[in-house]
Amino acid sequence: MVELYHFWSSVCSVRCRMALEEKGVPWTSRYVDLFQFDQMQPEYLAINPDGVVPTLVHDGQPVCESSIINEYIDAAFDGPRLVPEDALQAARMREFVRKCEVGLDAIAKLTAVKYLLPKLLNRWTRDELLVQAARRPTPYLQDLHSRALRGEIGEAELNEARVAIARLMEFMEFALDPGPWVVGEALTLADIAIAPYFFRLNALGAEQFWTQDRRPRVHAWFQRIAARPSFQAAVSWPDESGGGYAEVGLRSADAPT
C-alpha cells in the first residue's frame, strides 16, 4: 500500500505526485491541510517529526523529504527509470537536484509573502499565526514564517530571492544544451525536481524567468514538461480547503504559459 501525505500547492508535494505518476504507481491520498495546521497534529508528527509535507508511507514505513522520496519511488517500483543508469549522468542529476534544494529558499520567501501570508490571514489573526509559527518544529520555518508575519521580509530581500531564482534558471539554460531534458535525452528526477518551481512561479506571475527571448531552452523545456500527463496530474490537485491561488489574486496554477 502506498500513501502520500501531501498538500495541493506544496512544491515538494508536486514533485512526489509527479514521480508517482511517471512510474505509474497507484497511491492513496492523505491530504494534509497546511492552512489548518494539520502538519503539526501529533499523529502527523509521529510519521514526520519536522511537520512538513510530503511524507510517503509504503507498507506502513514512512519516507520523508521529497528528493529522498523520489529516489525511493524510482528504486522501489517498476516503471520508467527516473535515475540514469550511467554513473556520471546520475551524479549530474543529483547535482542539479541539490541546486534545486538550495534554490527552494528563494521560492519559499516569495511564497510566504505573496501567497501563504495573505491566504492565512483570511483564516486566522496575525497573533494566532505568530503562535502557530512558534510551534514549527524546524528553526528555518519558525524564522521564515515569523519574519513574514512581522513584515520583516522586505522588497530588497525579495529582489535577492528573484536574483537567486534567475541564477538557477541560467544554470538550467546551460544544462539543457543539448537537451531535451536536464540530463540528456531522458526525463529524470532532475526535471521533476524543478518542474514544481515553474508551477509556483507561474502562479506568482514570474514567467519572465523563462521567456523564449531570455532563455529559449528553458522556455522550450517548460512547454515539454507542461504537456506531460504526469505534470498535469501533479499540478491539478484541487485545494481541498477551497480558494486555490485565485483566492489571493494569483494566477490559476492550471494555466501554464
Side-chain angles (χ1 to χ4, degrees), residues 1 7 14-15 22 24 26 40 75 79 97 116 118 126 153 155 222 239 241-242 247 250 257:
M1 182 177 181
F7 181 69
V14 173
R15 280 180 181 174
E22 282 287 339
M40 290 189 283
V97 170
L116 287 177
R126 197 174 295 269
I153 302 177
E155 245 348 275
F222 183 57
D239 180 356
S241 63
E247 177 187 341
L250 299 177
T257 58

Side-chain angles (χ1 to χ4, degrees), residues 64-183:
C64 302
E65 299 297 332
S66 62
S67 296
I68 296 171
I69 291 170
N70 279 2
E71 291 230 21
Y72 178 85
I73 290 168
D74 190 55
F77 301 104
D78 294 333
R81 286 187 62 90
L82 300 176
V83 175
E85 291 188 46
D86 179 79
L88 182 58
Q89 283 198 320
R92 294 288 179 257
M93 181 209 80
R94 292 186 176 99
E95 287 171 354
F96 189 82
V97 170
R98 176 60 180 158
K99 286 185 179 294
C100 292
E101 290 172 345
V102 171
L104 182 61
D105 178 65
I107 298 279
K109 286 177 181 176
L110 287 170
T111 296
V113 173
K114 304 294 186 181
Y115 166 56
L116 287 177
L117 186 57
K119 194 153 180 170
L120 283 166
L121 286 170
N122 286 343
R123 292 159 173 74
W124 306 86
T125 68
R126 197 174 295 269
D127 286 344
E128 289 171 326
L129 291 173
L130 283 168
V131 170
Q132 295 293 347
R135 292 178 59 214
R136 298 304 300 256
T138 59
Y140 169 77
L141 290 174
Q142 279 187 23
D143 178 69
L144 176 67
H145 292 173
S146 297
R147 291 180 62 233
L149 284 162
R150 293 193 297 264
E152 295 172 1
I153 302 177
E155 245 348 275
E157 193 167 347
L158 293 179
N159 283 334
E160 289 176 2
R162 294 183 184 100
V163 169
I165 294 166
R167 282 198 300 266
L168 179 58
M169 294 291 165
E170 197 59 36
F171 182 83
M172 187 177 177
E173 181 77 8
F174 171 80
L176 283 166
D177 184 14
W181 302 107
V182 173
V183 185

